[in-house]
């Protein structure tokens, strides 16, 4: 009966194994400084990088010159991204909405650690990641990264807290590591985040001009130039007065990173309810039929609705109307001046999307096949709906007085991004690990309400204390007043004064509003969310290093599990290690004197009681679960533990059994 690790996978060890499978001659050994003692040396596998470089080159390697983008702390950030963590996620049912039925997840905690914890459960399962990280303006507070301290102080070394204990810190422009600090913070998170994306998954990253070019290079390095497209979309805002010394800042940017296997991402510029063909028209340079013959074709319309498409005509003229069986049909493409124009897209492309839209209308829903979605997104999003103040700040303030934010993203900016990436996958998982006020969760629910989708979200946000935020030096009076109003509101509602409380309350309010707006179509809309908090391991130190404790000391320790942890804490930490998602249903039942938990109808059955009778073990084994887990102290002695294994061999031989 194996023991659970109660820590995430060691990515460095996994990567070395992958290299060993391809290039065994590049693997060597080195002393493991952490596990070695004065009396005993412990060795571990390592990579001989000089040989590996030569294996990957057709020329003799001589010298260190290479094309690369680097900064102070880059190697340390890679090291930290690959390290395992013993952190865990603890359920918070009291803060959740529809805990038993919802598929949505909200996690309070540092996103770097949370991404590590989620690696096994959500490996290649997330279709879209949308992030709006703190911009490196010199004024914003960002996640601290300082790799100069002792390696034992993990949280400080990983940049999770400063030497003084502050998790967030300002990054003044005059700092010697102004760019390096921000880049390290982003790089290590992106390295882990890529592992969560599906093979056709898309990352969308919002950024301003301060680090636009740097992050672009990082994205190409993390995702690869040969396998991913990197498209920068400009989002235009109303500047509201002079913001810069010479010009106002009117642009933000959304970088879309998606696999080259995707031909296009979705747009919403065609339907069969009207004939608004302007987006399809090529209003640019003229073109002869000989240049773009397939872009000259007829669109047949009756009573302002499309009824079909004509073939490309051999002549240079299309009639504007025709009569058949007494009915009049109007035929395009004749523009307002009566001049024939070419379309942007070939007839087959438009006819294909029209057919799918008709299928949607008839059947009530359909899935667009990858590569057959219609249209290419505009490179410049200049509609006023993308304005962060009008459709970001005001919207949050309407739901949570004060809002507590300066300029959260416009709901429309995020909504259009989510639509573009998930129109062909209505069951997509959408993640935002800088979730802030919860705009991404709002956008996902809104899109589901519109198209009947079942997309789910995973939001991650550091529970930054609003009292501390309000006391920061240099904060303008208006923002202080907003934060104070938010704190007062959260206090009245009985919530903690944190940014997470703002996000969670916004999701509650937005979900209720969507239900009220669409009572007939949104009866099955999932507006709930399970809340989890990142915390230290459920296990005491003795669990990980029993050999460091003498027998006399071990006997004085009542349990290797921390006293403040309950069954639900243990259950979810086990399912995370086993790679099960956080949103699956589960039940608990009393079997004789024991409480037994059944996750996703037998994917995992757990019992953490002391001295479990054989009769209960047999009842569990008869359910034939895929996995079973017990406490080490659930059994009086080694023979009792061996007996459990024998019971399962007899009644459920395929069950994987572990203890904590």
């Amino acid at each position: 009966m194996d023991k659970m690790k109660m820590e995430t996978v060691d990515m460095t060890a996994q990567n070395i194994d992958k290299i060993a499978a391809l290039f065994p001659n590049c693997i060597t050994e080195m002393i493991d400084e952490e596990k070695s003692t004065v009396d005993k040396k412990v060795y571990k596998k390592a990579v001989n990088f000089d040989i590996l470089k030569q294996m990957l080159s057709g020329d003799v390697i001589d010298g260190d010159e290479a094309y690369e983008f680097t900064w102070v702390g880059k190697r340390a950030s890679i090291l930290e991204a690959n390290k395992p963590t013993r952190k865990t996620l603890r359920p918070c049912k009291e803060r959740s909405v529809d805990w038993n039925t919802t598929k949505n997840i909200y996690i309070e905690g540092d996103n770097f650690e949370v991404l590590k914890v989620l690696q096994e459960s959500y490996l290649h399962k997330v279709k879209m990641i949308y992030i709006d990280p703190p911009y490196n303006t010199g004024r914003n507070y960002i996640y601290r990264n300082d790799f100069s301290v002792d390696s034992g102080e993990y949280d400080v070394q990983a940049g999770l807290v400063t030497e003084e204990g502050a998790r967030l810190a300002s990054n003044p422009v005059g700092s010697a590591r102004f760019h390096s600090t921000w880049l390290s913070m982003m790089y290590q998170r992106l390295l882990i985040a890529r592992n969560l994306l599906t093979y056709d998954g898309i990352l969308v990253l919002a950024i301003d001009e301060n680090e636009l070019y740097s992050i672009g290079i990082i994205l190409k390095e993390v995702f690869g130039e040969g396998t991913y497209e990197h498209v920068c979309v400009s989002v235009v805002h109303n500047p509201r007065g002079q913001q810069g010394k010479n010009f106002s800042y009117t642009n933000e940017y959304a970088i879309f990173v998606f696999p080259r296997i995707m031909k296009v991402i979705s747009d919403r510029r065609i339907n069969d309810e009207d004939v608004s063909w302007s987006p399809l028209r090529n209003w640019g340079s003229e073109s002869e039929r000989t240049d773009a013959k397939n872009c000259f074709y007829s669109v047949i319309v009756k009573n302002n609705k499309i009824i079909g498409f004509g073939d490309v005509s051999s002549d240079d003229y299309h009639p504007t109307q025709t009569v058949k069986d007494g009915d009049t049909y109007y035929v395009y493409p004749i523009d307002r001046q009566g001049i024939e124009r070419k379309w942007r897209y070939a007839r087959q492309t438009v006819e294909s999307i029209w057919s799918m839209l008709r299928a949607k209308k008839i059947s009530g829903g359909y899935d667009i096949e990858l590569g057959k979605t219609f249209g290419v997104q505009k490179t410049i999003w200049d509609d006023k709906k993308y304005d962060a103040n009008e459709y970001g700040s005001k919207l949050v303030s309407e739901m949570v007085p004060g809002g507590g934010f300066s300029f959260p993203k416009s709901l429309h900016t995020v909504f259009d991004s989510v639509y573009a990436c998930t129109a062909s996958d209505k069951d997509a998982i959408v993640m935002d690990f800088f979730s802030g006020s919860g705009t991404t969760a709002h956008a996902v629910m809104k899109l589901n309400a519109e198209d009947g989708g079942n997309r789910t979200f995973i939001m991650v946000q550091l529970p930054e204390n609003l009292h501390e935020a309000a006391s920061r030096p240099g904060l303008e009076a208006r923002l202080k007043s907003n934060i104070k109003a938010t704190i007062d509101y959260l206090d009245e509602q009985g919530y903690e004064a944190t940014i997470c409380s703002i996000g969670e309350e916004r999701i509650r309010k937005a979900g209720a509003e969507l239900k009220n707006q669409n009572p007939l179509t949104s009866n099955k809309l999932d507006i709930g969310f399970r809340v989890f908090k990142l915390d230290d391991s459920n296990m005491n130190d003795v669990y990980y290093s029993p050999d460091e404790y003498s027998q006399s000391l071990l006997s004085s320790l009542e349990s290797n599990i921390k006293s403040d942890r309950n069954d639900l804490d243990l259950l979810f930490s086990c399912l995370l290690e086993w790679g099960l998602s956080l949103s699956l249903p589960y039940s608990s039942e009393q079997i004789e004197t024991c409480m037994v938990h059944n996750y996703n109808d037998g994917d995992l059955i757990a019992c953490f009681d002391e001295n479990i009778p054989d009769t209960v073990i047999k009842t569990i084994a008869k359910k034939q679960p895929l996995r079973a887990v017990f406490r080490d102290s659930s059994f009086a002695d080694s023979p009792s533990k061996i007996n459990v294994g024998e019971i399962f061999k007899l009644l459920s031989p395929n069950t994987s059994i572990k203890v904590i």
Side-chain angles (χ1 to χ4, degrees):
M1 195 180 299
D2 295 330
K3 198 173 182 180
M4 300 199 80
K5 302 193 304 293
M6 286 301 173
E7 65 180 14
T8 60
V9 296
D10 187 333
M11 293 302 294
T12 300
Q14 279 199 354
N15 290 335
I16 290 175
D17 288 341
K18 291 175 184 177
I19 293 173
L22 295 172
F23 307 106
N25 60 321
C26 297
I27 303 302
T28 183
E29 289 185 341
M30 63 181 294
I31 295 175
D32 190 329
E33 299 291 350
E34 293 184 1
K35 296 182 180 179
S36 294
T37 63
V38 175
D39 300 323
K40 182 181 178 182
K41 297 296 181 184
V42 178
Y43 293 86
K44 63 180 180 181
K45 286 194 292 186
V47 177
N48 186 322
F49 288 100
D50 289 334
I51 297 178
L52 181 61
K53 286 179 182 178
Q54 190 62 71
M55 290 291 293
L56 297 175
S57 175
D59 300 310
V60 175
I61 298 296
D62 184 21
D64 298 324
E65 291 184 355
Y67 174 77
E68 62 178 335
F69 177 49
T70 191
W71 61 88
V72 176
K74 181 178 182 180
R75 291 184 180 180
S77 66
I78 297 172
L79 179 66
E80 293 304 324
N82 288 332
K83 278 187 176 180
T85 181
R86 292 175 180 173
K87 304 279 187 181
T88 191
L89 299 179
R90 300 180 64 188
C92 301
K93 292 184 70 173
E94 69 282 358
R95 299 192 65 140
S96 304
V97 176
D98 300 333
W99 171 274
N100 291 328
T101 57
T102 185
K103 302 294 184 184
N104 299 316
I105 303 296
Y106 191 101
I107 302 174
E108 301 181 4
D110 183 277
N111 54 19
F112 181 55
E113 293 285 343
V114 171
L115 288 170
K116 287 186 175 186
V117 171
L118 296 179
Q119 277 189 103
E120 289 296 299
S121 294
Y122 292 92
L123 183 68
H124 302 313
K125 292 181 181 178
V126 178
K127 179 59 179 286
M128 177 195 181
I129 294 177
Y130 181 95
I131 53 173
D132 180 18
Y135 296 164
N136 197 22
T137 62
R139 301 182 303 276
N140 289 359
Y141 278 64
I142 67 170
Y143 290 75
R144 178 72 176 217
N145 288 271
D146 191 327
F147 302 102
S148 61
V149 298
D150 181 81
S151 59
E153 300 174 39
Y154 180 80
D155 276 359
V156 181
Q157 183 177 6
L160 306 182
V161 295
T162 65
E163 295 88 334
E164 293 76 30
R167 192 170 291 272
L168 294 177
S170 61
N171 192 35
V173 177
S175 167
R177 291 179 56 188
F178 172 65
H179 291 288
S180 296
T181 301
W182 190 88
L183 292 172
S184 292
M185 183 270 292
M186 290 300 302
Y187 190 62
Q188 59 187 12
R189 286 160 173 80
L190 290 170
L191 284 173
I192 305 173
R194 185 194 169 183
N195 296 332
L196 304 183
L197 282 174
T198 60
Y199 294 106
D200 62 346
I202 304 170
L203 171 80
V204 183
L205 186 148
I207 197 67
D208 71 353
E209 72 283 346
N210 287 285
E211 297 291 358
L212 172 63
Y213 305 106
S214 298
I215 199 67
I217 297 173
I218 285 180
L219 289 171
K220 289 180 180 180
E221 179 176 320
V222 171
F223 287 89
E225 289 191 75
T227 52
Y228 282 83
E229 295 277 2
H230 304 75
V231 178
C232 184
V233 173
S234 180
V235 183
V236 180
H237 299 294
N238 183 343
R240 283 177 178 73
Q242 192 73 19
Q243 295 175 340
K245 292 181 180 179
N246 295 299
F247 297 96
S248 294
Y249 302 116
T250 61
N251 282 21
E252 287 185 318
Y253 305 91
I255 304 177
F256 284 72
V257 183
F258 54 92
R260 290 186 181 274
I261 60 171
M262 296 185 69
K263 295 180 181 178
V264 291
I265 54 180
S266 304
D267 200 353
R268 300 185 300 145
R269 289 183 276 171
I270 177 175
N271 61 60
D272 65 339
E273 296 299 327
D274 56 50
V275 193
S276 177
W277 290 105
S278 181
L280 300 180
R281 183 84 68 194
N282 188 339
W283 296 106
S285 60
E286 296 302 318
S287 176
E288 299 292 336
R289 281 181 178 273
T290 53
D291 298 330
K293 184 178 178 65
N294 286 333
C295 288
F296 288 86
Y297 55 91
S298 57
V299 177
I300 306 171
V301 175
K302 177 184 177 182
N303 297 329
N304 285 332
K305 292 185 179 180
I306 311 163
I307 62 169
F309 298 86
D311 289 327
V312 176
S313 176
S314 58
D315 59 25
D316 293 335
Y317 173 73
H318 291 310
T320 57
Q321 67 179 31
T322 184
V323 177
K324 181 181 179 182
D325 298 330
D327 290 326
T328 301
Y329 300 84
Y330 291 88
V331 183
Y332 297 78
I334 303 297
D335 70 8
R336 295 183 183 91
Q337 287 73 42
I339 302 172
E340 185 188 41
R341 302 278 187 179
K342 71 171 186 253
W343 300 113
R344 288 181 183 271
Y345 310 101
R347 180 188 62 80
Q348 296 91 333
T349 302
V350 180
E351 187 172 16
S352 173
I353 192 68
W354 176 79
S355 298
M356 287 188 287
L357 286 165
R358 293 295 297 164
K360 173 186 177 183
K361 187 173 182 179
I362 294 169
S363 66
Y366 67 94
D367 292 324
I368 302 175
E369 295 180 26
L370 186 67
K372 290 188 178 179
T373 51
F374 179 77
V376 178
Q377 289 281 358
K378 291 181 179 179
T379 307
I380 300 178
W381 294 7
D382 55 359
D383 193 289
K384 65 180 181 180
K385 69 181 182 180
Y386 301 121
D387 187 275
N389 185 65
E390 293 293 332
Y391 297 96
S393 301
K394 288 184 179 179
L395 182 58
V396 178
S397 295
E398 288 171 4
M399 296 182 174
V400 184
F405 287 81
S406 50
F407 292 103
K409 279 286 175 291
S410 163
L411 175 62
H412 299 286
T413 303
V414 183
F415 180 91
D416 283 3
S417 298
V418 174
Y419 184 93
C421 300
T422 68
S424 61
D425 185 358
K426 293 186 179 181
D427 296 313
I429 298 175
V430 178
M431 171 182 275
D432 184 344
F433 54 86
F434 287 99
S435 67
S437 66
T439 307
T440 304
H442 191 166
V444 169
M445 293 188 298
K446 178 176 169 61
L447 182 54
N448 284 340
E450 288 191 8
D451 70 2
N454 298 302
R455 301 168 188 84
T456 56
F457 61 74
I458 301 174
M459 300 293 106
V460 184
Q461 176 59 41
L462 184 73
E464 183 183 353
N465 187 288
L466 294 179
H467 292 282
E468 294 178 5
S471 63
R472 286 176 182 164
L475 194 68
E476 29 179 305
R478 177 183 60 84
L479 292 180
K480 282 189 177 182
S481 176
N482 287 350
I483 295 174
K484 177 64 167 58
T486 302
I487 291 172
D488 291 342
Y489 172 80
L490 295 174
D491 286 344
E492 290 174 7
Q493 302 300 314
Y495 301 138
E496 297 176 63
T498 68
I499 287 182
C500 288
S501 294
I502 298 174
E504 292 165 20
E505 181 68 353
R506 187 225 181 127
I507 298 171
R508 293 186 194 99
K509 293 281 187 69
E513 185 176 284
L514 288 168
K515 284 268 193 179
N516 291 334
Q517 290 173 348
N518 308 279
L520 297 179
T521 59
S522 63
N523 59 319
K524 295 183 179 180
L525 181 65
D526 186 354
I527 60 171
F529 52 94
R530 285 182 177 178
V531 177
F532 295 85
K533 286 189 177 182
L534 182 73
D535 207 335
D536 293 327
S537 171
N538 294 319
M539 318 308 292
N540 287 313
D541 290 343
V542 64
Y543 183 85
Y544 300 100
S545 308
D547 54 333
E548 295 181 7
Y549 294 81
S550 65
Q551 192 62 41
S552 59
L553 184 58
L554 282 172
S555 62
S556 68
L557 297 173
E558 292 185 2
S559 173
N560 56 12
I561 299 173
K562 292 176 179 174
S563 59
D564 64 336
R565 307 304 162 96
N566 58 37
D567 278 14
L568 214 54
D569 294 328
L570 300 178
L571 175 67
F572 276 88
S573 64
C574 291
L575 66 90
L576 282 167
E577 181 170 327
W578 248 315
L580 299 173
S581 71
L582 296 167
S583 59
L584 299 175
Y586 70 94
S587 60
S588 301
E589 63 174 322
Q590 189 83 22
I591 300 179
E592 297 183 21
T593 60
C594 301
M595 183 60 68
V596 177
H597 309 279
N598 188 334
Y599 198 75
N600 199 36
D601 195 24
D603 273 358
L604 184 152
I605 292 184
C607 182
F608 303 112
D609 288 335
E610 303 281 345
N611 302 316
I612 304 175
D614 283 353
T615 51
V616 174
I617 297 294
K618 289 178 181 178
T619 302
I620 294 173
K622 287 177 182 178
K623 295 178 183 290
Q624 296 189 323
L626 292 177
R627 309 166 184 87
V629 63
F630 307 95
R631 288 176 67 161
D632 204 14
S633 58
S634 294
F635 315 108
D637 48 35
S638 294
S640 299
K641 192 184 299 185
I642 293 171
N643 189 46
V644 171
E646 295 302 317
I647 291 173
F648 271 90
K649 281 182 183 178
L650 178 65
L651 299 177
S652 185
N654 295 321
T655 299
S656 175
I657 313 169
K658 290 188 178 183
V659 295
I660 59 173

